[in-house]
Amino acid sequence: MGDFVNKRHFTIDWAYCDPAGIVFNSRFFEFFDTSSWLLFEAALGVKPHKMAETFEILGVPLVDARAKFMVPAKFGDMVEMHSFVGEFRRSSFEVRHQIYVDGQLAVDGSETRVWASLDEKGQLKTKPIPADVIAKFKTP
């Protein structure tokens, strides 16, 4: 498990909400995606659009996403989001996301992503995550 946690704060805008002013559940997966890219940038020191060329990969495609919703987030709420790598495997990793409303855990989610490139036939394939990349998600 990585120790590096990227935190961000944001206010829930009306555009994320249903007519009752509660965040529509699928919007949380957008928050997860944005926070994953911010986590990668903070830990690796590379802008998201430069990751492919820097690490000689195609990208880090999403292969699974899950969330448990415990407390609603509403229009105008200031939320705090924590994102970190929960587990590294050979060529995949789990990014965990926790969203807090008024200090209470509201959403606990995760994404599984793969370190991917193209093979000689142009087909998507996974490749091992370099040790130096994993090391950057550890707190010194």
Side-chain angles (χ1 to χ4, degrees):
M1 174 173 154
D3 300 315
F4 186 85
V5 178
N6 193 59
K7 296 179 184 179
R8 71 179 182 118
H9 296 84
F10 59 98
T11 302
I12 299 298
D13 293 324
W14 179 254
Y16 300 126
C17 299
D18 63 17
I22 298 170
V23 175
F24 186 64
N25 287 355
S26 65
R27 295 296 192 160
F28 288 104
F29 294 99
E30 294 177 40
F31 300 158
F32 294 173
D33 187 67
T34 298
S35 290
S36 285
W37 289 106
L38 292 171
L39 171 66
F40 302 153
E41 182 176 352
L44 300 174
V46 176
K47 296 281 186 194
H49 69 280
K50 295 285 189 182
M51 277 188 59
E53 72 182 60
T54 302
F55 299 106
E56 297 178 358
I57 57 174
L58 181 65
V60 288
L62 179 69
V63 296
D64 187 47
R66 300 168 187 260
K68 182 176 178 184
F69 306 100
M70 295 162 284
V71 174
K74 300 179 292 303
F75 177 53
D77 282 348
M78 171 61 75
V79 300
E80 181 175 333
M81 186 162 182
H82 300 186
S83 299
F84 56 95
V85 175
E87 179 184 7
F88 282 103
R89 294 176 286 277
R90 186 187 77 80
S91 59
S92 66
F93 54 99
E94 177 193 40
V95 181
R96 295 283 315 278
H97 302 285
Q98 297 172 328
I99 299 175
Y100 295 86
V101 175
D102 294 326
Q104 186 175 8
L105 182 61
V107 180
D108 189 13
S110 67
E111 299 175 307
T112 301
R113 292 178 176 266
V114 295
W115 200 256
S117 63
L118 295 177
D119 66 15
E120 59 282 344
K121 295 179 183 177
Q123 301 293 315
L124 187 66
K125 70 170 190 168
T126 62
K127 67 188 271 188
I129 303 167
D132 62 325
V133 167
I134 294 171
K136 291 187 179 193
F137 286 89
K138 306 283 186 203
T139 303

